[in-house]
Amino acid sequence: MAKLAQGARYRGSIHDFPDFDPSQDAETLYNAMKGFGSDKEAILELITSRSNRQRQEICQNYKSLYGKDLIADLKYELTGKFERLIVGLMRPPAYSDAKEIKDAISGIGTDEKCLIEILASRTNEQIHQLVAAYKDAYERDLEADVIGDTSGHFQKMLVVLLQGTREEDDVVSEDLVQQDVQDLYEAGELKWGTDEAQFIYILGNRSKQHLRLVFDQYLKTTGKPIEASIRGELSGDFEKLMLAVVKCVRSTPEYFAERLFKAMKGLGTRDNTLIRIMVSRSELDILDIREIFRTKYEKSLYSMIKNDTSGEYKKTLLKLCGGDDDAAGKFFPEAAQVAYQMWELSAVARVEVKGTVHPAGDFNPDTDAKALRKAMKGLGTDEDTIIDIITHRSNAQRQQIRQTFKSHFGRDLMADLKSELSGDLARLILGLMMPPAHYDAKQLKKAMEGAGTDEKALIEILATRTNAEIRAINEAYKEDYHKSLEDDLSSDTSGLFKRILISLATGNREEGGEDQDRVREDAQEIADTPSGDKSSLETRFMMILCTRSYQHLRRVFQEFVKMTNYDVEHTIKKGMSGDVRDVFVAIVQSVKNKPLFFADKLYKSMKGAGTEEKTLTRIMVSRSEIDLLNIRREFIEKYDKSLHQAIEGDTSGHFLKALLALCGGKD
């Protein structure tokens, strides 16, 4: 069992087996592998119920009793993922890490993700043991092998981490914290180019306690989390390594929870990652990882493993997991602290929103109008030219092109485009040609037309637009459809959901900062609702969520956590249902992190069988000049693949080309 720091609680799932008899266990394993076939159930039951220290004793006794190597016999008898998992459990932790790193740098190519995961997350003592184990097992120097297989700043940071010399003093100098913040700021944001050496020195050597204070102060000083600066200033594997270091400084269990989720989400499972983490954390912090996993992803680690794996491999992983946390409505103790810190970050961060479409520098509406006319004249249509012009002009420039087109040719450009294009491409291009408020008005109108209502579209637009955008939509709606948006919402929706949408559609949300006394009052108002009084709960939430400023709401939601020990989103999901729940969740998520809200919507529009092209088009069109660059960054951070890759894998033809042009980069 792993050695504990003084006063620390044991947070592993594997414990020393009581009444342990290594000779008897060695005999049990020998019998399980004797003869034709092997008793896999007996093997996994025994190995997952012994600590690593006890397994080493079993190995020694096995050799003494039978003159054979237990690991060699297990390799011979077992196969595939199950074999890799069992053999991984049989190695001492440092030797297991050494084997993972050897595999990562052997042969053609390098598994950079494995190198990053191990070297960014291990303590000084674990690093020293790893280096010694590598030397013992392979008679090679680990640092020399890493240098021979990597390059640049990525290599330099790996070498720094391999020294295992991170400061461990919990006494922190405030002056040094301030100096490090200034040095990081000057090395990145304030410098033409980036001084990578400063990032390497500070993030590679300072103690975790010191760095946590540096990160907090950096946010207060610059208005940006350190992660945003790293993404903006660094690139490639070096950027990924530095982000992993930051995540492990903030919370190593949260880093591994995220790695496990990404290993199992979507099609296919990254079994090497899953095995490596479950083996290496089973006697360290798997209980913390489980807790954070359940809070962050709203499902238990146990249930995700159960649904994503099979056979003895699954049984062994579930034994290492140690239990299922999927108790309905449960909110873990540590979750409140995580939620509180998240709302603090949301309240303090000053995020610079950036679109991906900008005004063309050498813009000439006359030239563009003629090129578009030529692209649509005669037999066939030149879609490539249309896409190239329209996706590389700002909306204001497109309006000038429309006007010039009519002046030159006496024709309506929108009508010509509608006639020449079809399907998803037509919807995308025509959407880009409309002024933003008129486009949103049309999307709202379509959501309420015909049989049935597209509540998701109504929520997405009305819960995320600013007051100015909402007012412009109202004017555009009146102009285009000769009736008020409020009247149509009234006739097409009902009950509290209707009242919420109408409230949002007034565009009268307060726009000031927070008032601390009122923050407490509002938090108390939604916290004091009697248990089970769903109607009162929903009405109180509506009064506050639909009218208060975003900045004020961030502090209200933070205060709510302090008062109740619950996150507001959890409370909404637990206590409400249907469209009312969905619109309140959308407001909360938009207040928390609007680009992440849209990143989630984009991901859901493309995951699984089929694509929700209308949602994909609506977001790409409406956010391209506002915050699509921020959305891209949130997308790759959460889903471990770029928006560009997701679009490329899920769409085709000219629609794909136009979407990628709007996306604006591969990340």
Side-chain angles (χ1 to χ4, degrees):
M1 204 165 76
K3 188 172 74 175
L4 287 178
Q6 191 172 3
R9 284 186 307 153
Y10 181 67
R11 300 295 287 161
S13 59
I14 303 294
H15 302 265
D16 281 335
F17 187 74
D19 305 320
F20 172 58
D21 184 337
S23 296
Q24 186 181 323
D25 285 350
E27 185 180 347
T28 301
L29 289 172
Y30 180 77
N31 290 332
M33 294 185 282
K34 194 168 69 174
F36 186 71
S38 54
D39 186 348
K40 298 181 181 67
E41 191 78 32
I43 292 168
L44 78 86
E45 280 290 340
L46 191 147
I47 289 174
T48 57
S49 58
R50 306 297 186 271
S51 67
N52 191 276
R53 180 187 62 77
Q54 291 175 329
R55 292 180 208 128
Q56 304 319 307
E57 289 188 56
I58 296 169
C59 281
Q60 290 163 8
N61 276 265
Y62 192 91
K63 187 165 275 188
S64 300
L65 289 168
Y66 306 108
K68 301 176 76 175
D69 183 81
L70 176 54
I71 289 180
D73 280 3
L74 288 166
K75 280 184 175 180
Y76 180 78
E77 290 291 333
L78 309 177
T79 58
K81 295 174 282 193
F82 179 54
E83 177 251 311
R84 289 205 305 276
L85 177 55
I86 292 294
V87 169
L89 287 166
M90 292 307 301
R91 292 192 181 100
Y95 285 81
S96 186
D97 279 351
K99 176 71 165 65
E100 290 290 330
I101 286 190
K102 186 76 171 76
D103 290 347
I105 56 181
S106 294
I108 299 169
T110 305
D111 183 353
E112 291 86 1
K113 288 182 179 178
C114 173
L115 290 179
I116 289 168
E117 179 196 299
I118 292 174
L119 296 181
S121 65
R122 300 313 192 244
T123 64
N124 287 346
E125 184 182 356
Q126 289 167 338
I127 291 286
H128 297 153
Q129 291 169 352
L130 160 62
V131 171
Y134 192 91
K135 186 81 169 174
D136 181 51
Y138 307 110
E139 297 180 344
R140 298 177 65 88
D141 181 69
L142 177 53
E143 183 179 321
D145 281 359
V146 166
I147 288 172
D149 214 64
T150 58
S151 61
H153 298 298
F154 178 57
Q155 176 199 88
K156 289 173 187 170
M157 185 61 177
L158 290 175
V159 169
V160 167
L161 294 172
L162 274 171
Q163 306 316 299
T165 53
R166 183 178 296 287
E167 296 161 2
E168 294 181 328
D169 190 356
D170 282 341
V171 178
V172 177
S173 160
E174 289 184 19
D175 290 342
L176 187 56
V177 166
Q178 198 57 54
Q179 185 60 54
D180 282 349
V181 168
Q182 194 60 35
D183 287 347
L184 287 171
Y185 192 40
E186 288 175 0
E189 299 285 340
L190 295 182
K191 189 178 176 67
W192 179 259
T194 306
D195 182 358
E196 289 87 353
Q198 279 287 18
F199 280 86
I200 291 171
Y201 177 73
I202 294 170
L203 268 64
N205 289 283
R206 299 290 192 238
S207 73
K208 286 191 170 186
Q209 183 61 28
H210 176 90
L211 285 174
R212 287 183 193 116
L213 294 176
V214 168
F215 299 161
D216 289 346
Q217 192 58 44
Y218 189 91
L219 176 63
K220 289 173 186 170
T221 301
T222 69
K224 277 187 174 184
I226 188 69
E227 292 90 338
S229 291
I230 288 172
R231 287 192 197 98
E233 299 298 327
L234 312 180
S235 62
D237 292 322
F238 181 46
E239 174 197 343
K240 293 185 182 107
L241 174 58
M242 298 306 256
L243 287 172
V245 169
V246 170
K247 284 175 184 174
C248 288
V249 166
R250 289 193 188 280
S251 169
T252 303
E254 185 169 358
Y255 170 72
F256 282 114
E258 186 179 304
R259 293 278 295 156
L260 285 167
F261 178 74
K262 288 177 178 178
M264 291 182 282
K265 73 176 177 60
L267 292 173
T269 304
R270 297 174 192 173
D271 293 292
N272 286 349
T273 302
L274 180 55
I275 291 167
R276 186 171 57 244
I277 296 173
M278 295 301 290
V279 167
S280 66
R281 312 315 291 186
S282 60
E283 293 186 39
L284 293 174
D285 53 5
I286 194 68
L287 298 186
D288 293 325
I289 293 167
R290 269 171 44 184
E291 199 162 79
I292 289 168
F293 194 100
R294 177 66 179 83
T295 300
K296 196 167 183 178
Y297 303 111
E298 297 179 349
K299 63 178 79 177
S300 68
L301 176 59
Y302 188 98
S303 68
M304 200 160 182
I305 290 171
K306 193 175 179 181
N307 293 329
D308 217 60
T309 58
S310 60
E312 284 85 10
Y313 176 54
K314 173 171 81 173
K315 288 179 184 175
T316 310
L317 288 170
L318 293 178
K319 290 271 185 187
L320 296 178
C321 185
D324 189 359
D325 305 306
D326 260 346
K330 188 173 180 181
F331 201 68
F332 295 112
E334 281 82 355
Q337 189 179 354
V338 171
Y340 185 86
Q341 289 166 347
M342 178 275 300
W343 283 114
E344 176 66 24
L345 179 64
S346 180
V348 174
R350 298 191 298 274
V351 178
E352 184 183 358
V353 292
K354 291 181 180 178
T356 54
V357 174
H358 310 282
D362 54 352
F363 176 59
N364 185 325
D366 188 65
T367 304
D368 286 348
K370 287 174 181 174
L372 287 170
R373 176 68 180 139
K374 184 180 176 184
M376 294 185 284
K377 204 170 162 184
L379 204 60
T381 305
D382 181 358
E383 287 94 346
D384 289 330
T385 295
I386 294 170
I387 290 167
D388 190 52
I389 291 173
I390 290 175
T391 60
H392 291 95
R393 305 294 182 269
S394 67
N395 193 275
Q397 289 175 333
R398 293 181 207 126
Q399 303 318 310
Q400 286 182 254
I401 296 169
R402 280 180 71 176
Q403 189 59 54
T404 304
F405 194 90
K406 182 163 272 187
S407 299
H408 276 7
F409 307 112
R411 302 172 67 91
D412 182 352
L413 176 56
M414 293 287 281
D416 282 4
L417 288 166
K418 198 170 186 178
S419 169
E420 293 291 328
L421 305 176
S422 62
D424 296 325
L425 178 64
R427 277 194 292 273
L428 180 65
I429 294 296
L430 289 167
L432 289 167
M433 290 305 303
M434 297 178 74
H438 289 265
Y439 179 72
D440 278 347
K442 184 175 183 181
Q443 298 308 301
L444 291 168
K445 181 69 174 166
K446 279 184 168 294
M448 295 183 282
E449 274 180 344
T453 303
D454 184 352
E455 290 87 2
K456 287 183 180 177
L458 296 178
I459 290 169
E460 178 201 302
I461 295 169
L462 293 175
T464 62
R465 300 311 192 248
T466 65
N467 284 345
E469 288 166 340
I470 291 285
R471 289 168 194 151
I473 290 168
N474 275 293
E475 289 176 20
Y477 200 95
K478 187 83 171 173
E479 182 184 333
D480 294 344
Y481 306 111
H482 309 295
K483 56 198 305 190
S484 75
L485 173 59
E486 184 181 325
D487 287 346
D488 276 357
L489 287 169
S490 291
S491 60
D492 210 66
T493 57
S494 61
L496 184 63
F497 182 55
K498 174 178 81 173
R499 288 164 53 204
I500 294 166
L501 293 182
I502 289 173
S503 176
L504 293 172
T506 61
N508 283 326
R509 183 179 294 284
E510 296 164 4
E511 294 186 335
E514 75 264 20
D515 173 335
Q516 203 49 50
D517 290 337
R518 200 162 167 230
V519 161
R520 281 188 287 273
E521 287 172 15
D522 285 348
Q524 197 71 57
E525 181 74 13
I526 54 178
D528 278 351
T529 310
S531 177
D533 190 350
K534 184 178 170 186
S535 174
S536 174
L537 176 72
E538 291 173 342
T539 303
R540 290 176 188 221
F541 266 84
M542 186 191 85
M543 289 166 57
I544 291 165
L545 267 64
C546 294
T547 62
R548 306 296 195 255
S549 73
Y550 271 28
Q551 187 61 28
H552 181 84
L553 285 174
R554 290 181 186 115
R555 292 302 188 188
V556 171
F557 298 155
Q558 189 178 29
E559 190 69 22
F560 182 85
V561 176
K562 208 163 32 171
M563 287 178 177
T564 66
N565 234 24
Y566 285 87
D567 184 45
V568 68
E569 189 174 332
H570 173 88
T571 299
I572 291 167
K573 286 177 177 175
K574 187 182 174 189
M576 303 179 201
S577 60
D579 296 328
V580 171
R581 175 200 60 209
D582 293 345
V583 70
F584 283 154
V585 167
I587 293 169
V588 170
Q589 290 177 346
S590 184
V591 169
K592 186 187 297 181
N593 184 337
K594 196 178 288 186
L596 179 58
F597 169 80
F598 283 115
D600 285 339
K601 296 280 285 182
L602 284 170
Y603 177 76
K604 286 170 186 171
S605 77
M606 292 182 279
K607 76 166 188 171
T611 306
E612 294 175 20
E613 287 88 357
K614 289 180 182 176
T615 302
L616 177 57
T617 299
R618 185 171 60 243
I619 295 173
M620 295 297 287
V621 169
S622 64
R623 311 312 296 183
S624 59
E625 291 185 52
I626 299 173
D627 55 3
L628 190 53
L629 185 62
N630 306 78
I631 292 167
R632 265 172 42 190
R633 288 171 179 164
E634 295 291 350
F635 194 100
I636 195 168
E637 170 66 18
K638 182 163 182 179
Y639 298 109
D640 211 25
K641 69 174 174 181
S642 68
L643 178 57
H644 188 284
Q645 287 173 305
I647 291 169
E648 212 168 27
D650 217 62
T651 59
S652 61
H654 289 106
F655 182 51
L656 164 65
K657 183 177 179 181
L659 286 171
L660 292 183
L662 291 178
C663 184
K666 293 185 178 182
D667 296 316

